[in-house]
Amino acid sequence: MLGCGALLIFALSVPAQSITDSDPDASPARPTVSTPATLTPTGYFQFETGSLGATTSPEFGTRIGVEQVTKLSVLHWLELSVQTEPYIHSSDSKGGDKEIHPGEVFLGPQIELMPAEGARPAVAVSYVRRLYESPAPELDLGTFRQSGTLLISNDIAGFHDDANFILTEETESGARRGQHAQTLSISHPLKKFTISAELWHFTQPFLRSYAVGNLWAISYPLRPNLVVDGGFDHGLTDTSTHWEEFIGFTYLVPHRLWRK
């Protein structure tokens, strides 16, 4: 949580005059499980930072983590991202044993295959590879070694939807299993706010079960390049994490790394 607060203070301390009319807006992917098919503005760093608290899961009693995703589009069709959880505090289901660990580290590209145009949706694919495996307990997604995703985003009648179709390779004690998942997020503006609702489903091959959940979130742009968000998620099956609450922000650094 301290890391999230420090980054937010840094973001708010950037002088307003440094943001010009030519600077692009932030393109938040958080706080939903779904990732948009559209990429971040080319040449700009984007930071997606937040804190997530969760309770009651097959793997833990409580879990608090700080999440950080750093993105950079190096071409108009190619985005690179690094996903980390620098801090995780967890306890077992009885509230006894408590542990603090750094979370896992993932790296991968996202490639836009088809940009949105008129009624045509944006379509992209992504690949993520784990660089560091953490001993900290996981959420519904489990511990995966690598994953591939088909991403589709569209705008229809004032609503924005993001759909993801995910295949992962899960690992546990040297064993490997395939996992598949589907997510659908629908967003709608309400004055300056954006309300998001989402349904998601993940198979859990090592539990021979599946997790299903329902997420609700709200976001608000403090500036065009700084968007804050918050919300909650409720697991609907016995092997889902029962409750998750989250808060965070998306910050697009208003300085291009290279000239066009």
Side-chain angles (χ1 to χ4, degrees), residues 64-161:
I64 299 173
V66 174
E67 303 173 329
Q68 172 63 48
V69 180
T70 303
K71 296 179 177 179
L72 174 65
S73 290
V74 294
L75 299 168
H76 73 275
W77 53 269
L78 175 61
E79 176 186 273
L80 304 178
S81 67
V82 179
Q83 305 172 34
T84 63
E85 250 187 314
Y87 173 87
I88 297 174
H89 180 282
S90 62
S91 66
D92 60 24
S93 58
K94 297 180 181 179
D97 295 337
K98 297 181 179 180
E99 299 180 351
I100 296 177
H101 297 284
E104 296 180 328
V105 178
F106 299 94
L107 173 69
Q110 180 170 318
I111 298 172
E112 187 177 62
L113 300 179
M114 185 172 66
E117 186 175 325
R120 188 181 72 183
V123 179
V125 293
S126 70
Y127 174 78
V128 176
R129 179 81 178 193
R130 185 179 65 207
L131 302 182
Y132 169 73
E133 182 177 0
S134 171
E138 293 294 333
L139 300 171
D140 307 278
L141 182 59
T143 302
F144 70 87
R145 183 168 175 262
Q146 56 186 340
S147 79
T149 305
L150 172 66
L151 311 95
I152 302 173
S153 296
N154 202 7
D155 292 291
I156 302 175
F159 290 85
H160 176 81
D161 61 87

Side-chain angles (χ1 to χ4, degrees), residues 160-173:
H160 176 81
D161 61 87
D162 297 311
N164 291 180
F165 303 89
I166 308 166
L167 290 175
T168 76
E169 178 192 21
E170 284 214 335
T171 59
E172 185 175 299
S173 303

Side-chain angles (χ1 to χ4, degrees), residues 152-199:
I152 302 173
S153 296
N154 202 7
D155 292 291
I156 302 175
F159 290 85
H160 176 81
D161 61 87
D162 297 311
N164 291 180
F165 303 89
I166 308 166
L167 290 175
T168 76
E169 178 192 21
E170 284 214 335
T171 59
E172 185 175 299
S173 303
R176 299 186 296 176
R177 298 286 188 275
Q179 178 192 52
H180 64 84
Q182 304 80 34
T183 71
L184 176 62
S185 169
I186 299 176
S187 303
H188 185 66
L190 181 62
K191 295 186 178 181
K192 291 195 69 175
F193 292 90
T194 298
I195 309 295
S196 300
E198 182 176 43
L199 286 173

